[in-house]
Amino acid sequence: MPQSPSLSAAARRSLSVVSVVSLAILASGLYFAPERAWSNLLAAALFLLTIGLGGTLFLALALITGAGWHVAFRRVPEAMAMIVPLTGGALLVVLALGAQYYAWHPHGDVGTFWFKQFWLTPMFWFARSAAYVIIWSVLGALLVYRSRKQDTAPVNVQQHTGNVRLAAIFLAVYAITFSLASVDWLMALDPMWYSTIWGIYNFAGMMVATLAVIVILCIVLSAPGRPLHGVFTTEHLHDLGKLLLSFSCFWMYIWFSQYMLIWYANIPEETSHFVTRTIGPWGPVVVASLVLNWLAPFFILLPRPSKRSRSVMLRVAVLILVGRWVDVWLMIFPSTLGDTPAFGIWELAAIACVVTAAPLLLARSFASAPPVPVHDPFLPESLHYHA
Amino acid sequence: MSSRVLIATFDHEDDLLAATTAVRERGLRIMDVYTPYAVHGLDRAMGLKPSRLTWVCFVCGMAGALGMLWFEHWTAAIDWPIDVGGKPWFALPSDAPVAFEAAVLLAGFGTVFALFGVARMWPGKQPRKIYPRTTDDRFVLVIGETNAAFDVQSVEQMLTKYDVLKVEEQLVT
């Protein structure tokens, strides 16, 4: 297997410079425009963390469904899973820096319900957040570690059963902790509003973005001369395209489920979320989010040839990542900044930071293992796969 | 109209795939291939064109969605306007679920019935049993004898390369 670095030294250097500079700009923003800079930091950290966590989720789902098709490119979601500790740590730093932007902090307005007051106690809130990140990091690292152990020793059935069991544990833990995390980190920005579908809505957005990142990385890494060339085939791309299409529809479905029930019932304490977002200057941003995350990908990805075309899939994946950014933005900014959207140096710095930090982190973790899990029992199946 | 066909029986899916590709590349006419289960890659080996059913599905789905949106608009806003909780006469959020269901329903049924129509299947139709063991463990490739110059011997010889079990001629109607 040819092992060539996926990023050249020059590219690595310029990416590092841009990401450090943009991070420094954002850090200085905490002094000049604290609310906006902090909101951008939260969006950036959340965006990166959910991509990493999505990689772990993809691995666990594949293991528990007994999937063999993905093994040829499994090192890609594994590389994503490995960025969870770092991005999760970054998110915890952001939370620690900005606890005062959560409306309930320090003696805010959370209503009179005793459980809510207890649940949103700042120390408990932060300890919980740290616990989520630690749990995800440990379980993800275990999944990756066990997969890499297969590279050196022949695999036995017990080992594979153990992997499946670990994946099952991760999925159960993930379902609960991620729901709670999305409530703690995003819904708590506006503590008087609540939606019981919030957790799954965040899961849907995370899954679409994860698949888009897997598609981009696989296409880039399978270019001629790159480690996955000839290993990641059009058949794999086709299946990723199907998943991307279906999860894009799933995101739209969940978005609509949340919107329609709130619109129908028309209870003021529930509608506040959508009143801020759909009426006034945020309205066009919501429309852009729907077009980027569902409408455009849906019609582009529907025909079979576009799911088998590298250039089309690459563009749709980028489109969806832009949509995911707008989606994250819409969850955070109207709550922290109010009715008027703003776009300027802080927003640009956050985007620059994510766009440069993601390839750096992912390339580093991808290069730390052989690019193909050579001893995996499902590898032959994956290499001869027909979609 | 009846025609003569050559029926080649195989034991393994790999042999069948290779033989089908070879037969197609030789320019012979593949009438059909019978297998006990769906063999991946067979459509490519037979040189089948991409299915047009996807277009039927898309058009039916769009017709279902748009037709139902129009119908909901007509019933709730034009023919007999109903005030539901002070919502607008024609409100997209409340109409979308039904439009979605109609799209799924029409796309599903439309595709299935289009498939039945194209494949000439209807209730009570007798299946054509070329070789009964294709429902169990045998793979059958049916080659059409398109003209008098069809050389059975040479085709048979070619197929032995792919471990053909037996080759026989049959008159089908």
Side-chain angles (χ1 to χ4, degrees):
Chain A
M1 209 53 69
Q3 176 97 42
S4 66
S6 18
L7 277 179
S8 68
R12 227 174 11 239
R13 209 170 317 121
S14 41
L15 285 174
S16 318
V17 170
V18 177
S19 74
V20 169
V21 167
S22 50
L23 196 61
I25 292 174
L26 275 176
S28 74
L30 283 176
Y31 177 74
F32 294 111
E35 293 214 334
R36 259 175 78 188
W38 181 80
S39 305
N40 275 301
L41 280 170
L42 179 64
L46 190 83
F47 188 89
L48 289 175
L49 170 62
T50 49
I51 283 169
L53 189 58
T56 321
L57 183 63
F58 186 90
L59 291 174
L61 282 174
L63 272 170
I64 206 160
T65 50
W69 65 279
H70 73 292
V71 172
F73 64 90
R74 197 177 62 202
R75 286 286 136 92
V76 170
E78 280 177 16
M80 292 161 71
M82 284 174 68
I83 72 170
V84 170
L86 194 64
T87 53
L91 184 90
L92 289 178
V93 172
V94 173
L95 291 181
L97 282 173
Q100 69 268 28
Y101 299 117
Y102 286 87
W104 41 265
H105 188 277
H107 34 253
D109 178 21
V110 294
T112 50
F113 184 42
W114 67 267
F115 184 77
K116 204 163 175 177
Q117 287 179 336
F118 156 71
W119 187 256
L120 293 178
T121 312
M123 266 324 283
F124 183 33
W125 169 80
F126 190 78
R128 220 162 48 230
S129 305
Y132 305 144
V133 170
I134 291 167
I135 290 171
W136 299 336
S137 304
V138 168
L139 289 175
L142 268 175
L143 275 170
V144 174
Y145 167 75
R146 292 183 65 110
S147 162
R148 289 187 174 187
K149 221 167 68 172
Q150 294 182 342
D151 289 348
T152 46
V155 186
N156 56 42
V157 177
Q158 269 167 343
Q159 200 176 335
H160 184 73
T161 322
N163 291 348
V164 174
R165 204 162 288 158
L166 185 63
I169 293 171
F170 172 79
L171 286 176
V173 171
Y174 161 83
I176 296 165
T177 48
F178 188 70
S179 282
L180 293 177
S182 58
V183 169
D184 282 344
W185 298 340
L186 298 170
M187 208 160 94
L189 286 167
D190 182 6
M192 295 309 285
W193 179 77
Y194 56 87
S195 161
T196 47
I197 209 171
W198 191 249
I200 201 161
Y201 174 68
N202 271 272
F203 155 73
M206 169 181 135
M207 199 63 198
V208 186
T210 299
L211 289 166
V213 171
I214 294 179
V215 165
I216 293 175
L217 290 177
C218 284
I219 289 177
V220 169
L221 286 169
S222 62
R226 293 277 171 77
L228 291 184
H229 182 60
V231 177
F232 178 80
T233 64
T234 310
E235 309 296 331
H236 300 122
L237 186 69
H238 189 179
D239 271 9
L240 282 173
K242 292 176 202 164
L243 280 175
L244 197 61
L245 173 63
S246 49
F247 272 100
S248 166
C249 292
F250 181 70
W251 177 89
M252 185 68 234
Y253 187 84
I254 299 298
W255 188 96
F256 182 75
S257 301
Q258 177 170 276
Y259 178 80
M260 190 195 69
L261 286 187
I262 290 174
W263 172 86
Y264 238 132
N266 206 11
I267 301 167
E269 65 195 51
E270 286 180 357
T271 49
S272 63
H273 180 83
F274 282 110
V275 168
T276 324
R277 282 162 180 80
T278 55
I279 299 172
W282 283 107
V285 186
V286 172
V287 174
S289 160
L290 301 186
V291 171
L292 288 166
N293 279 304
W294 176 69
L295 194 68
F298 178 75
F299 284 103
I300 297 173
L301 286 181
L302 212 45
R304 176 184 151 103
S306 55
K307 290 191 282 275
R308 297 176 75 89
S309 149
R310 280 163 192 256
S311 59
V312 174
M313 283 289 283
L314 195 63
R315 277 170 206 164
V316 172
V318 171
L319 199 70
I320 280 179
L321 286 181
V322 175
R324 168 69 175 160
W325 184 263
V326 175
D327 187 28
V328 171
W329 216 45
L330 273 170
M331 288 194 277
I332 298 172
F333 282 64
S335 302
T336 54
L337 296 181
D339 290 343
T340 329
F343 196 88
I345 181 168
W346 316 118
E347 284 73 23
L348 282 173
I351 293 168
C353 184
V354 165
V355 168
T356 51
L360 276 174
L361 293 174
L362 292 168
R364 202 189 56 176
S365 48
F366 186 79
S368 66
V372 177
V374 274
H375 287 306
D376 193 284
F378 289 106
L379 186 62
E381 178 187 331
S382 183
L383 291 176
H384 296 126
Y385 180 71
H386 289 288
Chain B
M1 209 183 81
S2 65
S3 58
R4 295 190 71 77
V5 295
L6 206 63
I7 295 178
T9 314
F10 298 87
D11 203 13
H12 293 291
E13 112 178 31
D14 297 336
D15 296 333
L16 174 87
L17 276 173
T20 309
T21 311
V23 164
R24 176 173 53 84
E25 277 165 3
R26 213 175 135 136
L28 299 173
R29 182 161 172 226
I30 298 168
M31 304 291 284
D32 214 341
V33 180
Y34 297 84
T35 59
Y37 52 85
V39 174
H40 285 270
L42 191 55
D43 47 348
R44 241 167 297 166
M46 290 169 73
L48 293 181
K49 274 184 263 165
S51 167
R52 282 163 302 175
L53 273 178
T54 51
W55 283 104
V56 176
C57 183
F58 180 71
V59 170
C60 287
M62 289 303 279
L66 297 176
M68 188 50 83
L69 275 182
W70 169 82
F71 183 66
E72 287 175 279
H73 178 233
W74 180 75
T75 49
I78 295 172
D79 190 56
W80 196 276
I82 303 167
D83 186 342
V84 182
K87 298 280 191 283
W89 299 126
F90 180 61
L92 206 53
S94 60
D95 291 351
V98 187
F100 171 74
E101 298 299 339
V104 173
L105 186 77
L106 254 75
F109 275 120
T111 314
V112 168
F113 285 117
L115 172 69
F116 284 170
V118 171
R120 294 165 190 283
M121 295 215 292
W122 47 82
K125 175 163 174 172
Q126 290 303 307
R128 184 199 275 174
K129 296 189 198 84
I130 290 281
Y131 186 69
R133 280 187 72 176
T134 53
T135 61
D136 181 18
D137 61 346
R138 287 286 193 268
F139 302 83
V140 162
L141 169 63
V142 184
I143 306 165
E145 298 187 12
T146 39
N147 53 38
F150 188 85
D151 186 359
V152 177
Q153 299 254 284
S154 79
V155 175
E156 241 188 283
Q157 198 151 39
M158 184 190 108
L159 289 174
T160 49
K161 266 192 290 182
Y162 304 103
D163 291 330
V164 68
L165 291 179
K166 66 173 179 195
V167 181
E168 57 179 6
E169 284 191 88
Q170 221 181 67
L171 202 65
V172 293
T173 48

